[in-house]
Amino acid sequence: MHAIGVDVGGTKIAAGVVDEEGTIVRAVRRPTPAGNPTRTAEVIVEAIQTLRDESDAEVGAVGIGAAGFVDAARTTVVFAPNLAWRDEPLRERVEGVVGIPVRIENDANAAAWAEARFGAGHGARSVVVVTVGTGIGGGIIFDGRLLRGGTGMAGEIGHLRLVPGGHLCGCGQRGCWEQYASGSALVRDAREFVQTSPDRARRLLHLAGGDPAALTGQHVTVAAQEGDAAALGCFADLGEHLGAGMASLAAVLDPEVFVLAGGVSEAGKLLLKPAKDSFLRHLSPRALRPRPPKVRLSVLGNPAGIIGAADLAREG
Ligand SMILES: [Zn+2]
């Protein structure tokens, strides 16, 4: 059965018809009217109807992935910081118009599901997807099922406490993982290095046009790809923290595979190598494990959100 997946972001709504092998066979894209919850729901419905009209295959279900907290029953977006949604009964709103089953998911969970089923975690039953972007998001697939938890908030792995009393996090706590191993952490550390050691950060400073505040993650990646020692040092620190957090997750969840996804993972080996080294160093109990979890890079990229939302809707 084909299903439609919708990935609702703060700036765009991307939707696609997905077949049983996880391939997007048709796709549409619309700008998100982010300040207007009712209008956003209307655009979602319009995108779904357009796809159904154009699709040769019959569509049996719709999955909608939204950036925000989704209730455990997968009917309501409790809170979506970028979409002005508060207790938005999205499933009812959309299902009432399209007339086929609709499921709502957290977007990171949907993307993780796709990566586990059809991407870098294919073939494994327990997979942790770590999405390294501005913050750290992700999702946990445990014994073949997506972990949602008691209120639907499971898998917020970016707020694993890594450094007691550490940097203040947007969530109100201190020392969260995403304060040390995200794209924002990479940029913060690189800017700090440029200011404290300008002699050793000439390449980074040059890429940022001479202004440390203008330095971006992309600049750090470019410099690291060129072999710049300062930029490689920033990636080494990031990887160290990333691997340490993954080792803590492995102690609890014992996954077969960790998948690194998100914008920062586009740095490829620059991120994978230090993260994997640190992970294996921190992993417990090393001597007793028959084999350590594998650490791989995402293979699906952005379309994972659409594919996962569709496939989860199909699962019911
Ligand atoms: Zn936090």
Side-chain angles (χ1 to χ4, degrees), residues 186-315:
L186 180 74
V187 171
R188 181 195 64 214
D189 291 351
R191 283 179 185 165
E192 200 176 296
F193 185 81
V194 168
Q195 273 158 336
T196 54
S197 315
D199 286 352
R200 289 193 287 148
R202 278 197 213 107
R203 182 60 188 145
L204 284 173
L205 198 55
H206 177 76
L207 285 167
D211 177 11
L215 194 68
T216 65
Q218 200 60 39
H219 294 144
V220 185
T221 304
V222 167
Q225 279 162 346
E226 294 168 357
D228 178 72
L232 286 169
C234 293
F235 268 100
D237 284 350
L238 184 78
E240 173 68 26
H241 288 122
L242 199 56
M246 283 156 54
S248 290
L249 289 170
V252 181
L253 298 165
D254 186 26
E256 295 147 87
V257 183
F258 277 95
V259 181
L260 299 180
V264 180
S265 74
E266 285 164 20
K269 270 192 210 145
L270 287 174
L271 181 71
L272 184 64
K273 171 92 170 59
K276 205 166 162 176
D277 291 350
S278 164
F279 171 62
L280 293 174
R281 245 187 354 268
H282 287 98
L283 191 60
S284 159
R286 285 189 68 180
L288 300 177
R289 277 181 190 272
R291 57 184 182 279
K294 295 192 165 56
V295 184
R296 296 178 184 150
L297 292 167
S298 150
V299 297
L300 296 181
N302 281 334
I306 293 176
I307 298 167
D311 196 58
L312 283 163
R314 191 158 40 207
E315 297 254 316

Side-chain angles (χ1 to χ4, degrees), residues 158-159 169-173 176 178:
H159 304 283
C169 182
C171 74
Q173 301 293 341
C176 293
E178 70 174 25

Side-chain angles (χ1 to χ4, degrees), residues 156 158-160 167-179:
E156 290 290 331
H159 304 283
L160 181 81
H167 289 295
L168 186 64
C169 182
C171 74
Q173 301 293 341
R174 282 188 178 276
C176 293
W177 195 19
E178 70 174 25
Q179 293 302 316

